[in-house]
Amino acid sequence: MKKIIPVMLISFALVGCTNQGTPKNEANNNQAQESEQTDDKQVIEVKKAEDNQENKEEVSKAEQNKEDEEDSSYKEDNNDDEHLEKDQEDDNEENEESDNKEISKDDLFFTPNGPFTSVNENGELVDENGNVLTGTDSNHYDYVKYTNNVFVKMKNDLYDTVSIVRMNDKNIETLFEFPEADEFRPLGMIGDKIYGFHEEKSKTEVNGTPSLNTDKSAIGYVDLASGEIHDFDATAEELTGGAVVIDGELQFTKPGDNSEQNAYNFDLYKLDLSKGTDQQAELLEKDFDLQYLFGQKRFENGNPVWKVYRADNDHIYANDQEFPFLWAEQGFQEIIGNNIFYFDSEEVNDRLSRPIKIINMSTGETVLDTQIRGMKISDGKLYYLTTDNELESIDIEL
């Protein structure tokens, strides 16, 4: 595998993880920093004494110099502390500037399972490489839950390489590349780890036609700090249904005892994320059957709150309310902060845009229902590009 970013941790502003702007899981994933200090102590050079009197004078001078050196060292330490405090103040000012940065339409935006978009100086919608979008050829990115700006770049061709990227304001940064032919569908990012469905694949041919063999399938994670992939043994080599990851645990379904007679018969299991990948899964519920799982991370009084919600073929059940559920052929939905984002697959006249509907999970209010050509979340707001390539924003509850 190819690791693009070294051991340095990336600071991500996470959706629902922090109320500051982009992203980011909470302060999700704070970058570890090391401060190197140089203690420039005074070096005293003492010449050789020529007689006893001079020697006594030199001893006296040396003692005085030692006292001066100690006093100087004390002052230097205090100065170092002052410099550190000043540096910290500067860092805080830079962070405040970053939080309050202005979003413009020539920044990069994303469309779910679509390309990154931006508006060029001619007012045209372009991709991350500056190519004018026509609604046909482009890269596609899968959003990584609990972040604002981390995505999985999907394959355009059979043998393409899947990678994890970070969408900065004006450019794309590759964080990790999977081995050639492997596939990865993200479940979410917690700390430095991105969890998801991982498939190890190898190239092959069937009657002269390029194809792929699936050598291993499991739920696992990419550790961005070490650049390694780890799979959970309890999910390997067996069919798994739905899955959800929240802080501290992974829940997933596996076929139940009656799965041969009932294809929808699943049991619900749990893994402890603080334990190793060889742990045994804990059975949470028998005959869970065909239910869907959604994870949520939101903030209450500045503290992260994690929840798992369930859905059936008709509704998502949350906070004693029922919200619509979209089948795969209808589109898909995702919980971001305290909102359900619906991305309908219906065809619209503008092939560069996509319908979006956002419902607040506490009030049940529809806070947005429109078509967008790209979006991004920053500082408690959703910014989006309209069908006229203009930039608009709304407040959303994270």
Side-chain angles (χ1 to χ4, degrees), residues 50 86 105 122 128 130 139 169 178 204 270 299 302 355 379-380:
E50 296 181 358
K86 181 65 168 59
K105 60 184 181 181
N122 298 321
E128 67 271 26
N139 292 321
D169 289 340
F178 287 87
T204 186
K270 182 181 79 170
F299 267 74
D379 198 24

Side-chain angles (χ1 to χ4, degrees), residues 327-344:
W327 283 65
E329 60 268 21
Q330 297 174 312
F332 68 98
Q333 54 267 299
E334 186 57 86
I335 295 178
I336 301 177
N338 197 38
N339 313 275
I340 304 178
F341 283 59
Y342 291 94
F343 301 101
D344 202 306

